[in-house]
Amino acid sequence: MSIAPSSSTGGWRARLSEMFPFDWELLRIAGAEPIPHHLKRWWFALGGTVMYLFVIQVVTGIALTFYYVPTPEEAYASVGTITTGVRFGWFIRSLHHWGSHFMIVAAILHMLRVYFTGAYRHPRQLNWMIGACLLVVTMLFGFTGYSLVYEQLSYWGATVAANIAEAMPLIGPTAATFLRGGLEVGSNTLTRFYVLHIGLLPTVALVLIGLHILLIRLHGVTELEDEGQPVPEEKRFFRFWPDHATTELIVGFVLMYLLTIMALIWPAGLGPAADPTHTPEHIKPEWYFYFNYRLLKIVSLKVSVVATLVAGLAFFGWPFIDGWLIKRKWGRELPLIIGVLAFIGFLVLTVWESMT
Amino acid sequence: MADDETAVGEPGAASESPLTRRSWLGIAAFWGGLAVGYGTLAWQYLAFLLPARTKPRTRLLFAGSLSDYPVGGAREVHDLEGNEVLIRRTEDNLKAFSSRCPHLGCRVHWEYEQGSREFFCPCHGGVFDADGNPLAGPPAQGNQHMEEVKLVIDEASQTVYLEVRDVPHQERA
Amino acid sequence: MSLSAKQFTVGFLGLLFLAALLIVAFQESKQHRVEEKLDPVVTATNRGCVDCHAKDSPALVMQWEESAHARYGVGCVDCHLAEPEDIDGWQHEGAWISALVTPLDCARCHTLEYDQFKGSHHAKAGEILASLDNVLAEKAAGLPDNIADAVNGCWQCHGTIIRFERDEQGEVLRTGKENRPVIDPDTWPNSGMGRLNPDGSKGSCHACHSRHTFEAKLSRSPENCGKCHMGPDHPQIEVYNESKHGIAFYASRDDMALDKEGDWVLGRDYSAAPTCATCHISSYMTPQGEVITNSHDVGERISWTLRPVISTKLNMVVYDDGYKEDYPDGKELPAIGDTVETNEKVVEDFELVTKTVPRTVASVVTWEQRRDSMKAGCLNCHNDTYVDNFYVQFDSLVELYNEKFARPAQQWMDMLTADGVLNPDAPFEHEVQWVFWELWHHEGRRARHGASMMGPDYTHWHGMYEVSKHYYTEFLPAIIEAAESQSAALGEKYRGLVEEHLAQPEHTWMQGLSPEEAERLRQMYQQRYGEAGG
């Protein structure tokens, strides 16, 4: 379908298009992707928000890799050098730090939006499961990334996490040894976390994100039911480019602005350096693990690990559970109630842990 | 739907309508905003990747006390790259010059005689005054001045320092 | 939102983001990057020294490389260069040097500090060589051919005359192919504060500014002074360590900016505590916001002399050549412009002699002025009532010591001398001379130093308690014993005198407390400790 001129008549333009025979028309068509008009609602931009934040993390993360040294002896000092010795080091690091928190919040909000708009239902079950994996990957990003700083809480948080992993039925000890790279948290652990954080997890994330977006394109974005006023046919869709893209760019700028403000007012700091001989009085994981940590303190280790695993599996396979519930004619209200209760439970445990 | 939005199925509809001033401004604001915002961020990002200079470019080298420079006298010192510098004292001031003749690079001497405080270059007879200005010979014809080197004098201790370019260890003479 | 509205929003947000990034850039500009220290510069003149001595004495060269000297290219020859006429000079590997670097050598650059130092007590520290201290070291604790106590003890703090070995003709012995002068091993190594150098200068800069790093951090630390200013006869470092000043220092040592380059000003660069240097040498802020710069004349801010038997306030006469003399308060002060025949100790032919040198008075500094310049430093942390009252307390302790013990003790000794019991040429013949010596030279000084720097235990238990105990239980009996050694009659005379002395009001307590005082004492012990205690 290309109407590019041939080299015998078009000169250099023709030669270029022979070197790279891509049909640019495809891009324009892709850009004219019809977006359901309810996406003009800003809270439908949450998915794009997560992806944008992922890009921020990759870009700032690559910069940080130029100066970070992943050995127990030098890790902490290299983070310190970045924070105080490199131009804009404190800023790039703070963007990365706050970006990680924002990304997890955005992922959770996006997940809630998808859940409460029922966008996981057939035929979109696969995309929900990919999304669930992405949420776990994001939390692992946060966990491994924080451990790289090698502060006291980094070291001991990793130790506790490995101990919890060890309590998993059957695969526990293997998982813990895999995480630690041995029987104890040490330089092997740091290396592993580094590889996970800058190599394995980004690759997995990219693949999953690619699949996630591909599935969205293939399925189209779910239209909302029961919207109220009927929408005229010609207004039911609008263009990805430039309309929706501009919306996303606005969201992007707002995020950059917020992140910059956070970086200016609460720049990322450094706690005391990791000391394997001295356990701090209070070890706490990052806030997105509070719910799990709290659960641990209420019930026994085994119970909480099993409960977490069961809940995780339910979360992962939710479209099928939901489908089963609907078949049972328990209405569409039950998923809503379950969702609200689960989220409230998560919040309660998180806030409870944050207060102690 | 706003007037500049197209219904789907009309590929490029908006791009075929004539560019209004408003739409031109909008496009300019759009790209301008992106450029200004992300451009600045890109500059800071690049600055991050370039290690900052943590050592000053010049440093002071001890060159004796004022008492080591009697009026009319001069001393030779060297900078870190091995270049010779003449520090000369007249009744008026203490100044330092590279001893390299600006004509063809021969070594200039400080020749102090009553009333004629001059630098002399033996190769082709170049003559400079006490401030390095050419007076006679090839340097005068080409209006070539002796290169002055900065001196820092600490009044309290009466010590003289030469301000020289700091070069890494390997490049020092 | 229409497309163009969104486009303008992007434009607006871009500007907003730019504004935020400009604040980021501003914050970045405020970051203090620690400047890397410049590396050492070895100039052509010093290259030969460094290349060889880096193998012979590597740590020495490494110390120099860390120094500020090295950063400016000041190296071996710059300090060790000897004058052509220097007796201790020798031609070593192409340079005429002396191993001994004297204050005159340092003064080539550090002229101001030398001018301040050369008139100070520190520079005169070596002039005690003819004192009683020396007699104790060289005679009491020495052999005719071995005065190692003086060599290793007194001289190492006070300094000594640098001497050379001689050949049969009396010329300086020289050895080796470089004709190196052979120094008298009793006199070198020596970095005593008042070392008497062959070039006529007095003192040793590296007594405080240890070589070859010459770190400011070391010189400013109290331990530095404590090498000499310690011990039973002048426990300044012990008093300081006991005092709140010392406690504050050791607790906040890291906040003291001890290694700050350039000047070091109390009230501007540090505030946690004073060190010895702070009060006696260093710069401080005045209430008017000015900086009083440091002075290497350590006596400038001293108003009492706590050294002698009887302490006096000290005025200072400064002569036109920088020579300084302390005038005890009471001794008539000359006027500015007067010519005074000053007695100066100098080294001639490697012996300490006193010369009379006429000098013109340039200025007179009273003890009040000296005290004011000390008080101005105190005002950085304390208010003036506090400071003035401290001096009232301090003064009254010195006066107590003077009036109750020092003056009477001196009078007793003078009496014994007048009666022919004590021989001025035999200063430690009788027990009473030892007791008297320690009374004023040891515990008497400890009491005064304790009060001078807020060390209560030194003031009392190590100080006045011991003064009073020794006065009553050892000194007075020893007076009688000394008198008796001459004749029984003289002994009787002094026994009577002592009895009379003890009848005076301030001494009657020896006979017992008054009934009221005794009763009060008994009741206090009963209340506190019950029947069993006390």
Side-chain angles (χ1 to χ4, degrees):
Chain A
M1 283 210 290
S2 167
I3 47 172
S6 69
S7 51
S8 56
T9 54
W12 64 270
R13 245 188 279 260
R15 288 180 68 75
L16 272 177
S17 70
E18 278 167 8
M19 287 198 290
F20 189 64
F22 179 74
D23 187 357
W24 295 99
E25 184 66 17
L26 289 174
L27 266 185
R28 218 186 45 74
I29 292 172
E33 159 79 15
I35 312 251
H37 85 288
H38 61 257
L39 235 73
K40 293 186 192 180
R41 301 210 180 128
W42 290 91
W43 58 298
F44 269 79
L46 280 169
T49 304
V50 187
M51 197 185 76
Y52 184 78
L53 285 166
F54 178 70
V55 170
I56 302 273
Q57 292 302 94
V58 169
V59 168
T60 54
I62 288 174
L64 292 171
T65 324
F66 273 83
Y67 293 103
Y68 176 74
V69 183
T71 66
E73 300 79 24
E74 294 198 51
Y76 182 82
S78 68
V79 175
T81 306
I82 291 169
T83 314
T84 58
V86 178
R87 276 191 287 231
F88 297 108
W90 61 274
F91 179 54
I92 303 283
R93 184 178 165 226
S94 300
L95 285 179
H96 197 77
H97 170 80
W98 286 112
S100 77
H101 291 292
F102 275 38
M103 187 173 165
I104 294 174
V105 169
I108 293 174
L109 290 175
H110 171 66
M111 182 267 291
L112 288 173
R113 194 283 291 165
V114 170
Y115 183 90
F116 287 109
T117 56
Y120 54 81
R121 296 199 170 110
H122 187 81
R124 294 181 175 80
Q125 302 96 321
L126 209 55
N127 223 11
W128 167 270
M129 294 194 288
I130 291 172
C133 291
L134 276 170
L135 182 60
V136 170
V137 162
T138 309
M139 290 166 82
L140 283 176
F141 261 125
F143 170 63
T144 53
Y146 182 59
S147 300
L148 293 179
V149 178
Y150 227 61
E151 292 176 328
Q152 270 287 65
L153 286 179
S154 314
Y155 179 89
W156 293 102
T159 310
V160 168
N163 290 340
I164 294 172
E166 197 150 13
M168 282 195 290
L170 290 174
I171 56 167
T174 315
T177 311
F178 170 77
L179 264 181
R180 285 192 292 245
L183 295 170
E184 263 178 25
V185 172
S187 69
N188 276 351
T189 321
L190 193 58
T191 313
R192 275 165 193 251
F193 280 22
Y194 187 60
V195 168
L196 281 171
H197 193 79
I198 74 165
L200 193 60
L201 286 173
T203 313
V204 168
L206 274 170
V207 168
L208 288 176
I209 290 170
L211 283 173
H212 203 67
I213 293 176
L214 177 64
L215 279 169
I216 293 168
R217 278 286 277 110
L218 292 173
H219 282 139
V221 180
T222 321
E223 294 180 47
L224 266 185
E225 302 181 357
D226 302 329
E227 272 227 296
Q229 280 185 353
V231 180
E233 180 62 37
E234 65 274 13
K235 287 196 179 195
R236 289 182 70 216
F237 297 93
F238 69 114
R239 294 169 306 175
F240 177 77
W241 177 268
D243 302 275
H244 189 69
T246 315
T247 308
E248 297 281 1
L249 283 168
I250 291 175
V251 169
F253 259 145
V254 170
L255 282 172
M256 288 309 305
Y257 188 73
L258 284 175
L259 283 174
T260 306
I261 299 296
M262 299 296 275
L264 279 168
I265 303 178
W266 295 287
L270 270 183
D275 181 1
T277 64
H278 174 70
T279 315
E281 270 177 41
H282 302 288
I283 306 174
K284 259 187 168 28
E286 289 283 88
W287 63 268
Y288 34 92
F289 289 117
Y290 276 1
F291 71 100
N292 203 5
Y293 206 56
R294 186 76 239 164
L295 191 64
L296 263 174
K297 297 181 184 175
I298 301 171
V299 297
S300 78
L301 180 62
K302 273 265 188 261
V303 169
S304 79
V305 166
V306 169
T308 309
L309 279 174
V310 165
L313 278 168
F315 174 70
F316 179 71
W318 177 253
F320 301 101
I321 300 173
D322 172 88
W324 181 84
L325 286 172
I326 289 172
K327 275 212 206 101
R328 293 280 177 284
K329 301 267 194 288
W330 285 341
R332 308 216 156 189
E333 287 77 27
L334 195 53
L336 286 177
I337 295 169
I338 293 174
V340 168
L341 283 177
F343 187 58
I344 289 177
F346 167 80
L347 279 179
V348 163
L349 287 172
T350 305
V351 172
W352 186 3
E353 176 60 28
S354 75
M355 293 200 300
T356 53
Chain B
M1 194 187 309
D3 51 8
D4 53 0
E5 281 181 0
T6 8
V8 87
E10 298 174 38
S15 62
E16 282 169 18
S17 62
L19 276 175
T20 62
R21 181 145 164 268
R22 184 162 173 241
S23 64
W24 183 90
L25 265 177
I27 291 170
F30 176 78
W31 290 108
L34 286 177
V36 141
Y38 287 111
T40 316
L41 186 65
W43 159 67
Q44 292 178 344
Y45 190 85
L46 281 172
F48 173 88
L49 292 177
L50 288 168
R53 163 163 284 279
T54 47
K55 275 206 312 193
R57 287 180 201 281
T58 63
R59 66 193 293 176
L60 297 178
L61 275 189
F62 176 68
S65 321
L66 274 177
S67 54
D68 294 331
Y69 296 94
V71 173
R75 268 176 64 166
E76 301 119 28
V77 295
H78 291 87
D79 69 7
L80 289 177
E81 295 156 279
N83 304 314
E84 190 187 61
V85 174
L86 295 173
I87 306 181
R88 68 101 187 100
R89 184 155 187 199
T90 62
E91 292 87 1
D92 306 312
N93 54 39
L94 190 73
K95 280 193 183 179
F97 298 92
S98 164
S99 70
R100 195 183 169 280
C101 184
H103 172 228
L104 284 176
C106 282
R107 194 168 162 267
V108 173
H109 306 107
W110 169 245
E111 299 198 335
Y112 182 77
E113 281 159 66
Q114 208 52 20
S116 88
R117 297 161 197 81
E118 287 164 357
F119 288 100
F120 179 70
C121 181
C123 288
H124 307 99
V127 181
F128 306 85
D129 70 7
D131 291 321
N133 302 312
L135 295 176
Q141 281 150 22
N143 196 24
Q144 294 160 310
H145 293 248
M146 285 175 74
E147 189 192 330
E148 190 171 350
V149 182
K150 186 153 180 259
L151 280 181
V152 173
I153 299 172
D154 179 38
E155 294 296 335
S157 61
Q158 300 272 291
T159 42
V160 181
Y161 297 93
L162 198 66
E163 190 171 312
V164 299
R165 208 165 72 91
D166 192 13
V167 289
H169 226 71
Q170 312 87 281
E171 292 171 36
R172 290 191 195 161
Chain C
M1 204 190 234
S2 71
L3 177 63
S4 63
K6 284 196 282 197
Q7 286 171 331
F8 282 112
T9 309
V10 168
F12 169 71
L13 285 175
L15 284 171
L16 204 62
F17 186 43
L18 171 70
L21 286 180
L22 287 174
I23 299 176
V24 167
F26 172 69
Q27 278 295 103
E28 172 58 29
S29 68
K30 286 201 315 182
Q31 291 264 15
H32 298 289
R33 294 271 133 64
V34 177
E35 257 190 22
E36 248 179 68
K37 272 229 160 84
L38 294 168
D39 56 342
V41 167
V42 184
T43 56
T45 334
N46 297 312
R47 167 135 309 115
C49 322
V50 170
D51 285 346
C52 193
H53 283 275
K55 290 182 282 215
D56 280 0
S57 39
L60 191 154
V61 174
M62 285 164 77
Q63 285 176 8
W64 169 78
E65 284 172 344
E66 274 175 35
S67 69
H69 283 158
R71 288 200 283 279
Y72 290 99
V74 175
C76 328
V77 176
D78 301 298
C79 297
H80 285 279
L81 188 70
E83 302 298 327
E85 67 275 8
D86 277 350
I87 195 173
D88 56 339
W90 49 296
Q91 192 73 19
H92 174 62
E93 304 283 340
W96 178 254
I97 59 141
S98 163
L100 189 69
V101 178
T102 72
L104 262 185
D105 295 322
C106 307
R108 280 188 219 135
C109 298
H110 301 280
T111 332
L112 183 65
E113 287 78 4
Y114 177 62
D115 285 341
Q116 292 164 349
F117 172 81
K118 69 183 187 206
S120 73
H121 275 257
H122 272 171
K124 296 180 189 162
E127 293 171 16
I128 62 141
L129 297 181
S131 70
L132 285 179
D133 300 77
N134 236 50
V135 170
L136 281 171
E138 289 183 23
K139 302 292 177 208
L143 287 169
D145 58 352
N146 183 348
I147 50 167
D149 183 27
V151 169
N152 288 279
C154 318
W155 293 1
Q156 292 299 326
C157 279
H158 283 269
T160 182
I161 302 172
I162 300 291
R163 291 193 172 89
F164 298 89
E165 306 273 79
R166 303 281 168 168
D167 61 19
E168 296 88 35
Q169 282 77 41
E171 296 300 316
V172 170
L173 197 63
R174 290 178 185 270
T175 178
K177 55 175 162 40
E178 287 175 326
N179 264 349
R180 181 166 49 85
V182 181
I183 214 165
D184 178 351
D186 275 350
T187 66
W188 180 260
N190 188 292
S191 53
M193 185 60 87
R195 191 180 63 205
L196 297 145
N197 304 298
D199 60 5
S201 64
K202 290 179 188 174
S204 158
C205 303
H206 59 88
C208 292
H209 296 280
S210 301
R211 55 191 197 262
H212 283 79
T213 329
F214 304 104
E215 265 189 304
K217 185 171 78 172
L218 184 146
S219 322
R220 293 167 179 156
S221 298
E223 294 93 334
N224 192 34
C225 317
K227 171 179 172 208
C228 299
H229 289 276
M230 62 153 285
D233 55 341
H234 40 55
Q236 287 98 339
I237 190 68
E238 291 93 329
V239 173
Y240 174 79
N241 288 345
E242 190 200 351
S243 75
K244 275 296 187 205
H245 286 163
I247 294 165
F249 170 78
Y250 293 111
S252 307
R253 179 169 215 141
D254 297 330
D255 299 328
M256 290 288 295
L258 286 173
D259 48 8
K260 177 178 179 288
E261 275 195 43
D263 54 0
W264 183 64
V265 182
L266 172 70
R268 191 193 72 186
D269 300 319
Y270 68 99
S271 61
T275 64
C276 317
T278 307
C279 299
H280 293 283
I281 299 181
S282 298
S283 316
Y284 57 79
M285 296 296 291
T286 66
Q288 291 73 35
E290 283 163 4
V291 175
I292 300 292
T293 51
N294 63 344
S295 167
H296 278 69
D297 180 354
V298 290
E300 265 183 20
R301 305 173 190 171
I302 301 286
S303 46
W304 275 115
T305 169
L306 304 180
R307 183 196 55 79
V309 179
I310 299 164
S311 281
T312 65
K313 299 266 183 28
L314 284 182
N315 301 307
M316 179 162 60
V317 175
V318 183
Y319 298 93
D320 50 6
D321 62 349
Y323 187 72
K324 293 175 181 168
E325 273 188 326
D326 280 322
Y327 269 54
D329 202 35
K331 182 174 172 184
E332 197 187 327
L333 287 164
I336 296 177
D338 282 358
T339 305
V340 176
E341 297 289 324
T342 62
N343 291 324
E344 188 185 358
K345 288 205 169 88
V346 293
V347 173
E348 254 181 23
D349 288 328
F350 296 93
E351 293 299 330
L352 197 63
V353 296
T354 311
K355 291 200 89 109
T356 313
V357 181
R359 287 186 162 99
T360 316
V361 176
S363 65
V364 171
V365 185
T366 63
W367 70 263
E368 289 99 333
Q369 286 170 309
R370 292 167 89 163
R371 179 170 286 193
D372 282 343
S373 67
M374 176 68 88
K375 282 186 182 180
C378 313
L379 289 175
N380 270 274
C381 300
H382 303 285
N383 93 331
D384 43 0
T385 313
Y386 192 99
V387 175
D388 290 340
N389 286 6
F390 159 74
Y391 271 102
V392 169
Q393 292 176 355
F394 173 32
D395 286 349
S396 61
L397 186 287
V398 179
E399 276 148 19
L400 171 66
Y401 158 83
N402 273 356
E403 301 313 313
K404 184 158 186 185
F405 299 107
R407 258 185 239 287
Q410 184 65 68
Q411 281 164 2
W412 284 115
M413 300 299 280
D414 292 342
M415 268 200 287
L416 282 175
T417 311
D419 281 339
V421 177
L422 297 179
N423 178 2
D425 295 337
F428 290 102
E429 193 186 349
H430 296 271
E431 165 119 14
V432 71
Q433 286 164 309
W434 291 89
V435 176
F436 176 68
W437 167 256
E438 291 200 350
L439 201 69
W440 71 269
H441 191 274
H442 282 209
E443 47 259 28
R445 279 193 191 162
R446 289 200 291 270
R448 290 173 280 176
H449 282 118
S452 76
M453 294 200 295
M454 315 100 190
D457 209 86
Y458 280 88
T459 313
H460 178 62
W461 289 116
H462 294 296
M464 293 305 286
Y465 166 74
E466 293 196 331
V467 171
S468 49
K469 174 181 160 200
H470 295 159
Y471 185 84
Y472 290 115
T473 65
E474 289 179 27
F475 180 67
L476 292 178
I479 298 277
I480 298 168
E481 192 186 313
E484 266 174 2
S485 73
Q486 203 187 64
S487 73
L490 201 61
E492 271 311 304
K493 171 186 167 199
Y494 274 85
R495 202 182 303 277
L497 285 172
V498 168
E499 258 178 50
E500 242 179 77
H501 179 64
L502 289 179
Q504 289 181 329
E506 68 265 27
H507 300 297
T508 53
W509 72 272
M510 287 276 287
Q511 262 59 282
L513 300 169
S514 73
E516 298 83 25
E517 285 171 335
E519 182 55 31
R520 228 184 29 235
L521 199 67
R522 229 190 318 274
Q523 273 185 9
M524 194 285 289
Y525 273 102
Q526 258 181 8
Q527 268 172 10
R528 194 178 169 102
Y529 299 111
E531 288 294 335

